[in-house]
Amino acid sequence: MLDYNECLIELKKEVVKTEQDGLSIVIKPVPETEKEGALDPRQVLWSEKCRKSFPVSIKDNCKATIDEIISLRQSMGCKNQDLSSSITATEAVFDGVKVEIYQAKDLPPNSPVAVYIHGGGFIGGTVAVVRNSCKLLAERSACKVISIDYSLAPEHPFPEGLNECYRVIEYIFQNHKALGMDSTRLVVLGDSAGANLAAACCLKDTQRRIRLQVLLYPLMDVNPDQPDWSDKNYVIQENPEMAKYMIYELQELIKVSSYSYINNQDDFLAPLASPSRSVDPSVFPTTLIVSPEYDYLRSQAEDFARQLSENGVDAVLFRYKGMAHAFFEHPGEFPQAEDCINEIAAAIMAI
């Protein structure tokens, strides 16, 4: 197994660009091999640990109790490393919503701003889990990163958390001069359920002021019944038991989170809850989507990327081979997390 820095070199160097139906796909390999169906060894070690220690059992995925939800929350996230060197972190409140702000001490005024929305299936997750990823992104992209501590379901169901996220974005647009931010270069990004909220914020931005959306392994349709989904779309060769665990570990959690987030049955099909159901995909801004190879949500990510491309949106998809859901939370452990931050930073600096 290559060491961390050797992997970073390989991830930067060994890139395969393809085009499928007009969609640009950048494929990032497992650093040690070009073999199809290979699993990243670092991901395997983490997934083995999760499989042995995951303690939560839900009796009814459609009606999880608050005690079960709390247990799920406590099981989420991971420890990770702070790879940044000159980033300050401060707490603030934007229009009644708590946020954390990350920026370099010498950051010039009127810099770009990236609004980050953490994942956790709408029912969990915290700004703490992605704090180190956000700090490194702030350093590598020379921008301010605002991470939103929004309210969680089921105590705060759809659309409460979404409205809080959009209030933060509106606050930035209205107060950008006092905040020292360039509102003409505002980016919204999020992971998993946070990516869902990020895309929904772009739909709410009817003035189309958001310049770039970055969606990490996004949940684009909260309808838990996906009849067209099949694991036959995955290349499963090496360690098939682990590969299937990496794919399927999210399936039941999505049912729990979707039914906890959505109270009204009709809202499952609402574009603000399921952004891929937007009647006009051309309204979305330039988009960067990141999808791990062995993620249950991979088909949603790729279908949405293709939907955007077919409707004239500048969209690119990064596929990280051998990886599973939530790898972005592991800077310093997964070199793919740092590589992903570098790619996002490059996209932010290009706007």
Side-chain angles (χ1 to χ4, degrees):
M1 190 162 63
L2 298 178
D3 70 28
Y4 186 89
N5 288 323
E6 289 172 333
C7 289
L8 284 177
I9 293 171
E10 292 301 312
L11 286 164
K12 183 177 181 180
K13 178 177 63 177
E14 300 293 337
V15 173
V16 178
K17 296 183 179 180
T18 66
E19 191 166 298
Q20 298 178 6
D21 303 323
L23 172 65
S24 297
I25 302 177
V26 180
I27 299 176
K28 298 278 190 169
V30 175
E32 287 87 356
T33 180
E34 296 181 0
K35 180 181 176 182
E36 285 296 311
L39 306 182
D40 184 88
R42 292 151 292 269
Q43 177 69 69
V44 170
L45 289 173
W46 172 255
S47 294
E48 284 283 9
K49 180 180 178 181
C50 292
R51 183 166 60 172
K52 292 176 181 178
S53 63
F54 195 70
V56 181
S57 177
I58 307 296
K59 291 182 179 180
D60 184 346
N61 291 333
C62 301
K63 297 179 181 179
T65 68
I66 190 62
D67 288 339
E68 291 171 334
I69 295 294
I70 291 172
S71 295
L72 273 175
R73 287 174 183 165
Q74 293 172 342
S75 71
M76 292 179 180
C78 64
K79 294 182 179 179
N80 47 53
Q81 298 180 33
D82 184 0
L83 302 180
S84 67
S85 58
S86 60
I87 300 299
T88 61
T90 58
E91 296 180 352
V93 177
F94 288 2
D95 194 11
V97 183
K98 294 180 181 179
V99 300
E100 287 191 6
I101 305 172
Y102 314 109
Q103 67 180 84
K105 295 178 181 178
D106 58 352
L107 186 70
N110 297 320
S111 298
V113 56
V115 177
Y116 195 96
I117 307 174
H118 69 76
F122 308 108
I123 61 174
T126 67
V127 295
V129 174
V130 292
R131 182 178 293 129
N132 289 332
S133 294
C134 287
K135 290 176 70 176
L136 188 60
L137 178 61
E139 183 170 278
R140 298 282 167 87
S141 62
C143 77
K144 291 187 181 183
V145 176
I146 313 295
S147 187
I148 305 178
D149 186 12
Y150 59 93
S151 298
L152 303 175
E155 299 95 325
H156 302 276
F158 172 82
E160 292 184 37
L162 168 60
N163 289 340
E164 288 182 1
C165 292
Y166 193 67
R167 273 168 37 206
V168 169
I169 291 171
E170 278 291 353
Y171 184 88
I172 293 170
F173 279 126
Q174 295 170 9
N175 298 277
H176 63 96
K177 291 183 179 179
L179 295 169
M181 303 175 188
D182 183 355
S183 65
T184 67
R185 292 184 290 166
L186 188 143
V187 179
V188 61
L189 64 161
D191 65 277
S192 194
N196 173 293
L197 296 171
C201 284
C202 291
L203 287 178
K204 288 176 72 67
D205 178 30
T206 56
Q207 298 179 54
R208 303 178 75 167
R209 297 162 295 179
I210 296 171
R211 291 286 303 279
L212 171 71
Q213 67 172 350
V214 179
L215 310 177
L216 306 169
Y217 30 90
L219 173 59
M220 300 311 297
D221 189 338
V222 297
N223 186 347
D225 297 318
Q226 302 288 334
D228 296 332
W229 186 91
S230 172
D231 64 15
K232 293 180 180 179
N233 295 326
Y234 301 80
V235 178
I236 300 177
Q237 295 179 353
E238 175 186 295
N239 197 347
E241 182 183 0
M242 175 53 67
K244 289 189 176 183
Y245 170 77
M246 288 161 58
I247 296 168
Y248 279 98
E249 66 170 331
L250 200 64
Q251 189 177 42
E252 296 306 310
L253 176 60
I254 287 178
K255 289 184 179 179
V256 174
S257 63
S258 294
Y259 281 107
S260 298
Y261 181 53
I262 302 296
N263 278 347
N264 186 333
Q265 188 73 20
D266 292 339
D267 286 336
F268 279 111
L269 306 181
L272 289 179
S274 298
S276 63
R277 295 180 180 272
S278 171
V279 295
D280 183 9
S282 70
V283 302
F284 287 99
T286 298
T287 301
L288 188 160
I289 296 179
V290 174
S291 179
E293 183 178 16
Y294 295 100
D295 181 12
Y296 176 74
L297 294 176
R298 176 180 147 189
S299 60
Q300 288 201 27
E302 296 185 356
D303 288 348
F304 185 63
R306 192 165 290 107
Q307 182 183 5
L308 294 180
S309 182
E310 291 173 351
N311 283 273
V313 176
D314 184 7
V316 61
L317 173 76
F318 283 77
R319 182 189 299 160
Y320 281 82
K321 299 190 75 173
M323 301 303 293
H325 196 78
F327 77 89
F328 186 75
E329 298 175 0
H330 295 256
E333 180 183 4
F334 294 170
Q336 289 89 343
E338 183 173 348
D339 180 79
C340 183
I341 289 168
N342 290 337
E343 295 289 0
I344 296 170
I348 291 174
M349 289 187 290
I351 62 174

